[in-house]
Amino acid sequence: MMAFSLRNIVAFLPLFHASIVVATLPSCQTCGSPEPSPPAPEPEAFPPEPEVPEPYPPELAPYPEPDQSPEPSEAPIDDDGVFDVTNYGAVADGGTECSSAFSAAWHAACDYPWNSTIYIPEGTFLVGPISFRGPCYNDRSPNVEIRGTLFALSSLSSFKSSYWISFKNLQGLTLIGGPEYGKLDGQGAVEAWKEPSCEKSARCKKLITSIDFINVSHATISNITLSNSKGFHLGLHGSKNIKIYNVKIIAPEDSPNTDGIHVSNSSNISIFSSTIGVGDDCVSIGPGSKNVSVSNIRCGPGHGISLGKYKNEKDVVGINVRNCTINGTENGIRMKTWPGDRPSNAYNMTFEDIVMVNVSNPIIIDQEYCPSHKCKSNEPSMVKLKDIFIKNINGTYSTKSAVIFLCSSEAPCENVQLVNINLNYLVPNSPRQGRLNIKGFLNGLQVINSRF
């Protein structure tokens, strides 16, 4: 244990080794419309586009598709290209499964030669697993506007894939709701969270992501509320140039594996001005992520904001977390890798202007991360963590250590800066403030104007 109360002091450790160990549906037959007349032919000025094989993002295997019933024929549309799902048989009664109607509306909008919008009106819709796929006409995605409330099927057996709603191979998508609408409830509490695998291990055997973006580019997600997912609430995989803002994500503190937003193999992602309180990480940034910005996020409850490098995966580069408030979480900002991870890198990471309120572990590097307790702990992680800048962190913490560095003995943490860190231990009449726990090797640690 070491206590730090430093003012304008720079401590440079070219090679630091300490031995302190830290304990630390089938488709619904009632949703479709009666058999309508055949669709009108497309305008001659826009001949049908030849079929193009659907690309999948590199590094990702295709998801198996759920069985779908034959699609209803095209229903009438408004002059402005709005495709209302109720015109395709969706019933807003909360009990009629409506994935076939949603799918039919999507296909009609996707083939429409001008700007189009899938419109989900006010009301409650029960929706099974569904995939909104592209590419669409002229490689232009319809927009999706949700004014109602969507409930997922509660049974895990209804899900053959790892998502509830997916958007795949699309460009220019806008998914939008509103202040009092645009709600999606995964109904995880009914069955998924009670699975024995969730109770016996740190990771549930079957995780269903509520909304999955796969190979999507230049998209916007805003003004929606996600709650009670069976797994992650929102996932981005193999995607780029995505903006997420004014989103609210809610799940109980004890709900398993309910990460708010998970990013992997994606680049140029901006997540801002949102509120996330879940049972796992508020935001988790995984392998292959580049240029990810997280700002103005209110996080808690949950496990904080985490960067995780998984086994045999790509580098993580250019992560910026700024102007966030983390309240009542297990961790604040965390970088984690597994024992035995093969060589890779995570670097150029900045955490700045963050307020911590009663956080258990405000700042933590954990290269011995093993939630299942079944890892080969004698094999050090070979992931190189370097160029980590942590600045202007203020608030309170409830454990004995404000800062924990469990670095690899084979791939030392390198170039870590702590600047203007002011964290107060909540235990009254504590004999001393400020604890920094270190295990492993660090090559270049600076602590400047900090007290914890």
Side-chain angles (χ1 to χ4, degrees):
M1 291 286 186
M2 292 177 286
F4 277 79
S5 177
L6 306 178
R7 297 284 178 180
N8 301 313
I9 296 175
V10 176
F12 177 72
L13 306 181
L15 185 64
F16 190 102
H17 179 197
S19 60
I20 301 171
V21 179
V22 182
T24 57
L25 289 162
S27 301
C28 171
Q29 302 301 319
T30 61
C31 276
S33 305
E35 184 75 22
S37 58
E42 295 285 344
E44 293 185 1
F46 295 89
E49 207 174 29
E51 287 192 13
V52 179
E54 298 178 17
Y56 282 90
E59 313 295 330
L60 293 171
Y63 283 81
E65 292 300 318
D67 294 333
Q68 294 181 353
S69 59
E71 301 163 8
S73 300
E74 183 177 336
I77 62 171
D78 295 337
D79 291 338
D80 55 358
V82 175
F83 294 75
D84 188 325
V85 295
T86 59
N87 290 336
Y88 293 80
V91 181
D93 61 0
T96 303
E97 201 284 318
C98 298
S99 59
S100 293
F102 278 53
S103 180
W106 172 264
H107 285 297
C110 188
D111 292 338
Y112 190 65
W114 296 283
N115 293 335
S116 60
T117 298
I118 300 293
Y119 181 72
I120 302 169
E122 294 182 20
T124 301
F125 298 87
L126 182 66
V127 183
I130 186 169
S131 179
F132 297 124
R133 300 177 65 114
C136 293
Y137 190 92
N138 208 23
D139 202 21
R140 182 171 52 200
S141 171
N143 296 325
V144 178
E145 183 175 348
I146 304 174
R147 288 180 175 262
T149 298
L150 277 56
F151 280 92
L153 297 176
S154 59
S155 175
L156 283 173
S157 63
S158 302
F159 295 83
K160 297 181 180 180
S161 298
S162 60
Y163 59 79
W164 171 24
I165 299 170
S166 74
F167 295 89
K168 300 182 180 180
N169 310 324
L170 295 167
Q171 179 171 296
L173 169 72
T174 296
L175 172 60
I176 188 170
E180 302 299 328
Y181 40 80
K183 299 177 181 179
L184 297 91
D185 191 318
Q187 298 210 85
V190 178
E191 179 181 310
W193 300 345
K194 300 174 183 177
E195 280 290 295
S197 61
C198 297
E199 297 176 356
K200 295 178 181 179
S201 69
R203 190 170 184 85
C204 302
K205 185 176 180 180
K206 189 170 185 179
L207 296 172
I208 307 299
T209 299
S210 286
I211 296 181
D212 230 353
F213 273 36
I214 305 165
N215 194 24
V216 175
S217 63
H218 299 92
T220 298
I221 306 170
S222 66
N223 300 308
I224 63 170
T225 297
L226 297 170
S227 62
N228 304 318
S229 179
K230 296 176 175 66
F232 297 166
H233 284 80
L234 175 59
L236 307 178
H237 308 284
S239 297
K240 60 184 179 181
N241 300 313
I242 310 292
K243 291 183 179 180
I244 302 169
Y245 63 94
N246 290 344
V247 168
K248 188 174 184 179
I249 302 177
I250 310 166
E253 185 175 3
D254 59 352
S255 56
N257 302 124
T258 52
D259 291 43
I261 301 174
H262 178 70
V263 182
S264 70
N265 291 298
S266 298
S267 60
N268 301 325
I269 308 299
S270 182
I271 304 166
F272 58 99
S273 301
S274 296
T275 299
I276 305 173
V278 290
D280 211 302
D281 296 330
C282 293
V283 179
S284 57
I285 301 170
S289 299
K290 297 182 179 180
N291 299 326
V292 178
S293 171
V294 179
S295 62
N296 294 299
I297 299 296
R298 297 186 65 85
C299 166
H303 294 177
I305 298 174
S306 293
L307 280 69
K309 278 293 280 98
Y310 297 83
K311 292 184 177 180
N312 311 325
E313 293 285 0
K314 294 181 177 180
D315 292 355
V316 172
V317 184
I319 309 302
N320 286 275
V321 179
R322 302 174 186 271
N323 299 311
C324 296
T325 298
I326 303 176
N327 188 347
T329 57
E330 182 177 301
N331 304 295
I333 52 178
R334 175 174 60 166
M335 291 146 276
K336 60 186 180 183
T337 68
W338 274 253
D341 278 357
R342 293 186 180 182
S344 60
N345 298 281
Y347 59 95
N348 191 14
M349 297 175 283
T350 299
F351 304 86
E352 187 172 11
D353 298 322
I354 297 172
V355 175
M356 307 275 187
V357 181
N358 191 20
V359 172
S360 295
N361 303 300
I363 300 170
I364 180 169
I365 293 176
D366 185 0
Q367 294 204 262
E368 298 178 356
Y369 180 72
C370 183
S372 66
H373 306 292
K374 296 180 181 179
C375 304
K376 297 179 180 179
S377 57
N378 60 326
E379 296 182 9
S381 171
M382 296 302 294
V383 177
K384 183 77 169 180
L385 301 179
K386 61 181 180 180
D387 301 334
I388 302 168
F389 306 102
I390 304 172
K391 309 174 184 177
N392 303 331
I393 312 295
N394 297 281
T396 57
Y397 64 101
S398 57
T399 57
K400 293 182 179 180
S401 300
V403 180
I404 300 172
F405 291 154
L406 305 180
C407 292
S408 171
S409 59
E410 294 294 329
C413 302
E414 184 175 314
N415 191 20
V416 179
Q417 291 186 11
L418 300 175
V419 181
N420 295 331
I421 312 299
N422 292 285
L423 295 167
N424 297 312
Y425 186 33
L426 282 176
V427 177
N429 303 317
S430 174
R432 59 177 181 174
Q433 280 187 331
R435 293 169 175 85
L436 166 64
N437 284 346
I438 300 175
K439 178 185 176 183
F441 291 83
L442 288 87
N443 186 4
L445 169 66
Q446 296 184 55
V447 182
I448 302 173
N449 194 30
S450 296
R451 177 181 178 87
F452 45 84

